[in-house]
Amino acid sequence: MASDLRKESFRKNVSNLYRHSELGYQLVRPFYKIYESILKVIPDEVIVKSSFKKHMGYELDLNNPKTLNEKINWLKLYNKEDIHTLIADKYRVRSYITEKIGAQFLIPLLFHTDNSDDIIPENLPNSKFIIKTNHDSSGGIIVRDKTAVDWPKTRKRFKKLLKENNFYSTREWQYKNIVPHIVVEKLLTNEDGSIPDDYKLHCFNGKVQFIGVDLDRHKENRARNLYDINWNLMPCNWGRPNGKNLPKPSNFDEMIMLAEKLAEGFIYLRVDFYSVKGKTYFGELTLHQSSGFRKFWQHECDEKLGKLLDISTLKNKLKKS
């Protein structure tokens, strides 16, 4: 487990160098473009199988997937619908959420643009906010005081992010055709100013099966607890150590109800919410948790949860087509 965390730390450091250092970006970018051009001609299945073996340590069985991570990768390759691009887009998904459950669950949108040059103090509020892109998983930039931000550096960062396309490295099809956009949202905080925990409801065939809670997401000691539907802490670690055991949120039943509304018709969908002073806020929708490359510390958890995810209907449909 320690070696996995070290590898993850190394990958994060390299990514940070590429994303946040101008020198690192200029040095790495030409090699990355060559790497990306090579990736484009390699079949999806080859890329996915290779990445799975590297991250998980065993061969991906696409003919008879059993573990949760195997089934997530199977879905990544064989379950492609236009709506997937819509819901993966962190800007356009807002209209989908409004239609499905109501705009009252959206985090207030403060500004949006497709031009990084627009990210200037004059266009942004004096309140706390977060800046992120709609097609990337970098987490964004938290701004509590805009007078303390290096705005030229920030604009350079987002100019780079707008050029990225994560499809080629992960083969998550839904990201391939998202039109890059910059989104500025109100920063949600607890009463003490801390960032609220992130509740990730994993829905299988339209029903919530378990909940992941990411604690201290913007700190070095980031943790993750997994809870069953009755809010019992599960003896499973999905890539991160456990944090403190949490009380069930007062709006837990509402989260379940909303998640299942959003997950209707999906084989697998992760629905993220925040809970602030008892109010539920929508975070994002994810079709493939960690791209299906996040190892459980206990392999039996991967197997047990995999049994709960039924992909047979789509498999049978594909066989007949």
Side-chain angles (χ1 to χ4, degrees):
M1 313 317 172
S3 63
D4 290 339
L5 291 175
R6 285 195 296 269
K7 289 177 183 177
E8 180 180 339
S9 177
F10 175 76
R11 287 193 293 268
K12 184 177 180 180
N13 289 336
V14 172
S15 176
N16 286 338
L17 178 67
Y18 177 68
R19 290 175 180 272
H20 306 308
S21 163
E22 186 62 27
L23 177 60
Y25 181 82
Q26 295 300 331
L27 289 173
V28 175
R29 182 67 179 175
F31 296 99
Y32 180 78
K33 292 304 292 182
I34 295 172
Y35 172 65
E36 188 178 75
S37 66
I38 295 172
L39 287 178
K40 289 180 179 180
V41 300
I42 301 175
D44 294 351
E45 188 173 305
V46 173
I47 293 291
V48 169
K49 281 187 170 182
S50 174
S51 296
F52 188 89
K53 178 66 181 295
K54 180 177 71 174
H55 288 91
M56 307 301 292
Y58 64 96
E59 300 288 345
L60 171 61
D61 184 353
L62 291 173
N63 293 321
N64 187 29
K66 294 180 179 178
T67 67
L68 178 56
N69 278 301
E70 282 185 305
K71 289 184 177 181
I72 287 174
N73 276 280
W74 187 91
L75 290 169
K76 187 164 65 175
L77 287 169
Y78 306 123
N79 187 28
K80 300 175 182 179
E81 301 178 29
D82 290 343
I83 194 173
H84 293 175
T85 297
L86 170 65
I87 67 171
D89 184 325
K90 295 181 179 66
Y91 174 61
R92 293 178 63 213
V93 73
R94 296 177 65 89
S95 61
Y96 181 80
I97 295 303
T98 299
E99 178 184 341
K100 294 289 287 186
I101 61 174
Q104 67 270 29
F105 298 105
L106 291 171
I107 299 172
L109 178 67
L110 305 177
F111 185 72
H112 64 93
T113 180
D114 58 6
N115 188 346
S116 60
D117 291 337
D118 292 337
I119 303 302
I120 57 176
E122 293 78 7
N123 286 338
L124 302 171
N126 293 321
S127 57
K128 302 171 185 176
F129 54 87
I130 183 169
I131 313 174
K132 60 186 180 181
T133 59
N134 64 328
H135 69 303
D136 184 70
S137 59
S138 63
I141 294 177
I142 291 175
V143 177
R144 296 178 184 269
D145 177 4
K146 70 178 184 180
T147 65
V149 175
D150 183 337
W151 290 109
K153 183 178 179 181
T154 299
R155 286 190 288 275
K156 285 182 180 179
R157 173 179 177 177
F158 280 94
K159 185 177 182 179
K160 298 172 190 174
L161 288 176
L162 289 176
K163 297 177 181 178
E164 301 295 332
N165 190 321
N166 293 327
F167 163 74
Y168 296 106
S169 59
T170 67
R171 288 311 201 262
E172 293 185 74
W173 175 84
Q174 66 271 21
Y175 294 114
K176 185 177 183 180
N177 298 312
I178 293 178
V179 178
H181 207 77
I182 299 171
V183 177
V184 181
E185 292 178 340
K186 175 182 177 180
L187 180 66
L188 299 180
T189 59
N190 297 313
E191 291 185 2
D192 62 0
S194 62
I195 303 299
D197 296 330
D198 192 358
Y199 296 87
K200 301 176 182 294
L201 286 72
H202 295 259
C203 302
F204 296 2
N205 312 106
K207 297 295 181 181
V208 178
Q209 293 293 341
F210 69 99
I211 303 93
V213 187
D214 278 16
L215 298 84
D216 300 318
R217 293 181 61 229
H218 299 277
K219 298 180 181 179
E220 288 299 319
N221 59 337
R222 182 174 174 180
R224 176 177 295 148
N225 293 351
L226 300 184
Y227 293 91
D228 66 22
I229 197 67
N230 296 311
W231 203 255
N232 297 307
L233 185 63
M234 297 168 61
C236 299
N237 298 90
W238 203 354
R240 297 190 185 279
N242 285 345
K244 62 182 179 181
N245 197 4
L246 301 171
K248 183 169 70 172
S250 59
N251 51 339
F252 180 66
D253 290 341
E254 180 180 60
M255 288 185 192
I256 296 289
M257 181 268 292
L258 294 173
E260 293 186 346
K261 277 189 178 181
L262 293 171
E264 185 179 2
F266 290 89
I267 298 173
Y268 170 83
L269 188 68
R270 197 193 80 201
V271 183
D272 294 5
F273 291 116
Y274 299 99
S275 177
V276 180
K277 300 177 183 178
K279 179 172 171 54
T280 303
Y281 290 93
F282 167 76
E284 63 180 87
L285 298 177
T286 298
L287 288 156
H288 312 111
Q289 165 79 24
S290 299
S291 198
F293 297 145
R294 182 75 69 189
K295 184 185 293 187
F296 280 89
W297 292 6
Q298 307 86 0
H299 186 71
E300 60 270 20
C301 292
D302 206 354
E303 293 178 328
K304 181 178 179 180
L305 292 170
K307 290 179 180 178
L308 300 177
L309 180 59
D310 183 7
I311 62 173
S312 62
T313 300
L314 181 57
K315 284 186 75 174
N316 293 333
K317 181 180 177 181
L318 292 175
K319 286 179 181 178
K320 293 177 182 178
S321 62

